[in-house]
Amino acid sequence: MAVTALYALQNGYLGFERSGLFYGERSAERVPIPIACYLVKTTDGTVLFDTGVSPRAVPGLLRNDSMARFEDADLLVHRLDSIGLEPADVDLVVLSHLHFDHAGGAELFPTSELVVQKDEYATALYPPAFFAGFYYRKNFDLPSYRWRYLDGDAELAPGVTVLRTDGHTPGHQSLLLELPETGPVILAGDSCYWQEHIDAERVPGVVWNPAAALQSIRRLKTLARLVRGRIFPSHDPVFWKAVTPAPGFYR
Ligand SMILES: [Zn+2]
């Protein structure tokens, strides 16, 4: 029982203001940011981390965002197909949080188990006005699906551990993977948008609780240091250029 492979799946690009990327930043300059999902193979099952945007949202995003870029190959089903998988092959779908660029593909997985923090789910269903624009209820209001609600850290399988990393949202979670050759990798999700958020401990500009977000960045850095692991940020265009894209993989 062990992790055998980690695939990085590109799910298109969005434009985003620097004021949204970095807490306290006022610049409205927009930059293209990648949307990423990750597929993890283990000897006893297949785990997906995040699901990108819904195909339903793509036309509107392309219309309203001149930096948005979505190719046919970027669709999650096509990325999975490129590594020989269908949605039904995925046992667990771990959602870092329920913002539209992470939970958009959840509906592709009616037979998988969907893993989310219960606080995240509760807030996403009834968000306060200032946060409502990031949650598209259609993405996660799927009552016939198999949801597993977590309250904090959890070991999902040997070598696959959920880490609670609140702050960006009320119930954000990251995923620690123990890979046999690469070593430990932490998929930070939006607790760390860019490498700069890790290195300079910069809080995301879109944030529920900035103090908690800072603690989460520090917690991941501490864990990464203790296990001698790497942190993969969620939306870093420079990091993404250096990542091994599927169908290549980390072992
Ligand atoms: Zn995001």
Short mmCIF file of all heavy atoms in Angstrom, two decimals, residues 33 35 96-97 99 101-102 168 189-190 193 234-235, ligand 1:
data_model
loop_
_atom_site.label_atom_id
_atom_site.label_comp_id
_atom_site.label_asym_id
_atom_site.label_seq_id
_atom_site.Cartn_x
_atom_site.Cartn_y
_atom_site.Cartn_z
N ILE A 33 -2.98 33.12 -14.81
CA ILE A 33 -2.61 32.10 -13.83
C ILE A 33 -3.15 30.73 -14.27
O ILE A 33 -4.27 30.63 -14.78
CB ILE A 33 -3.13 32.44 -12.41
CG1 ILE A 33 -4.66 32.60 -12.40
CG2 ILE A 33 -2.45 33.69 -11.87
CD1 ILE A 33 -5.26 32.60 -10.99
N ILE A 35 -4.69 26.93 -13.97
CA ILE A 35 -5.60 26.16 -13.11
C ILE A 35 -5.11 24.72 -13.14
O ILE A 35 -4.93 24.15 -14.22
CB ILE A 35 -7.04 26.25 -13.61
CG1 ILE A 35 -7.48 27.72 -13.62
CG2 ILE A 35 -7.98 25.42 -12.75
CD1 ILE A 35 -8.79 27.94 -14.32
N SER A 96 -9.79 20.83 -2.45
CA SER A 96 -9.08 21.72 -1.53
C SER A 96 -10.07 22.69 -0.89
O SER A 96 -9.99 22.99 0.30
CB SER A 96 -7.97 22.48 -2.26
OG SER A 96 -8.51 23.34 -3.25
N HIS A 97 -10.99 23.18 -1.71
CA HIS A 97 -12.08 24.05 -1.25
C HIS A 97 -13.08 24.10 -2.39
O HIS A 97 -12.88 23.43 -3.42
CB HIS A 97 -11.55 25.42 -0.84
CG HIS A 97 -10.86 26.22 -1.92
ND1 HIS A 97 -9.80 25.72 -2.66
CD2 HIS A 97 -11.09 27.47 -2.42
CE1 HIS A 97 -9.40 26.63 -3.53
NE2 HIS A 97 -10.17 27.70 -3.41
N HIS A 99 -14.32 26.81 -4.21
CA HIS A 99 -14.33 27.90 -5.20
C HIS A 99 -14.43 27.31 -6.60
O HIS A 99 -14.03 26.18 -6.85
CB HIS A 99 -13.07 28.76 -5.06
CG HIS A 99 -13.12 29.73 -3.91
ND1 HIS A 99 -12.05 30.49 -3.53
CD2 HIS A 99 -14.14 30.04 -3.06
CE1 HIS A 99 -12.39 31.27 -2.50
NE2 HIS A 99 -13.65 31.01 -2.19
N ASP A 101 -12.95 27.51 -9.39
CA ASP A 101 -11.83 27.02 -10.19
C ASP A 101 -11.21 25.75 -9.58
O ASP A 101 -10.17 25.27 -10.04
CB ASP A 101 -10.75 28.10 -10.37
CG ASP A 101 -10.25 28.68 -9.06
OD1 ASP A 101 -11.07 28.82 -8.12
OD2 ASP A 101 -9.05 29.00 -8.96
N HIS A 102 -11.88 25.19 -8.55
CA HIS A 102 -11.39 23.96 -7.92
C HIS A 102 -12.48 22.88 -7.86
O HIS A 102 -12.17 21.69 -7.92
CB HIS A 102 -10.87 24.26 -6.51
CG HIS A 102 -9.69 25.19 -6.54
ND1 HIS A 102 -8.39 24.75 -6.48
CD2 HIS A 102 -9.63 26.53 -6.69
CE1 HIS A 102 -7.58 25.80 -6.58
NE2 HIS A 102 -8.30 26.89 -6.70
N HIS A 168 -7.58 30.95 3.47
CA HIS A 168 -8.10 31.36 2.15
C HIS A 168 -9.62 31.19 2.16
O HIS A 168 -10.35 32.07 1.71
CB HIS A 168 -7.45 30.50 1.07
CG HIS A 168 -8.01 30.70 -0.31
ND1 HIS A 168 -7.98 31.91 -0.96
CD2 HIS A 168 -8.63 29.84 -1.16
CE1 HIS A 168 -8.55 31.79 -2.15
NE2 HIS A 168 -8.96 30.55 -2.30
N GLY A 189 -2.82 23.62 -2.69
CA GLY A 189 -4.07 24.29 -3.04
C GLY A 189 -3.87 25.79 -2.88
O GLY A 189 -2.73 26.29 -2.91
N ASP A 190 -4.97 26.51 -2.65
CA ASP A 190 -4.88 27.97 -2.62
C ASP A 190 -4.39 28.53 -1.29
O ASP A 190 -4.41 29.74 -1.09
CB ASP A 190 -6.25 28.58 -2.97
CG ASP A 190 -6.52 28.56 -4.46
OD1 ASP A 190 -5.65 28.11 -5.22
OD2 ASP A 190 -7.62 29.00 -4.86
N TYR A 193 -0.83 30.41 -3.33
CA TYR A 193 -1.06 30.61 -4.77
C TYR A 193 0.25 30.45 -5.56
O TYR A 193 0.28 29.79 -6.59
CB TYR A 193 -1.54 32.04 -5.02
CG TYR A 193 -2.99 32.35 -4.78
CD1 TYR A 193 -3.37 33.67 -4.51
CD2 TYR A 193 -4.00 31.39 -4.89
CE1 TYR A 193 -4.70 34.02 -4.34
CE2 TYR A 193 -5.33 31.74 -4.71
CZ TYR A 193 -5.67 33.05 -4.44
OH TYR A 193 -6.98 33.40 -4.27
N SER A 234 -0.54 26.53 -6.05
CA SER A 234 -1.70 26.20 -6.90
C SER A 234 -1.72 26.93 -8.23
O SER A 234 -2.06 26.34 -9.25
CB SER A 234 -2.99 26.51 -6.15
OG SER A 234 -3.04 27.89 -5.78
N HIS A 235 -1.41 28.22 -8.23
CA HIS A 235 -1.68 29.04 -9.43
C HIS A 235 -0.44 29.79 -9.92
O HIS A 235 -0.55 30.89 -10.44
CB HIS A 235 -2.77 30.08 -9.11
CG HIS A 235 -4.15 29.52 -8.90
ND1 HIS A 235 -4.85 28.83 -9.87
CD2 HIS A 235 -4.98 29.57 -7.82
CE1 HIS A 235 -6.05 28.50 -9.39
NE2 HIS A 235 -6.14 28.92 -8.15
ZN ZN B 1 -7.93 28.88 -6.96
#
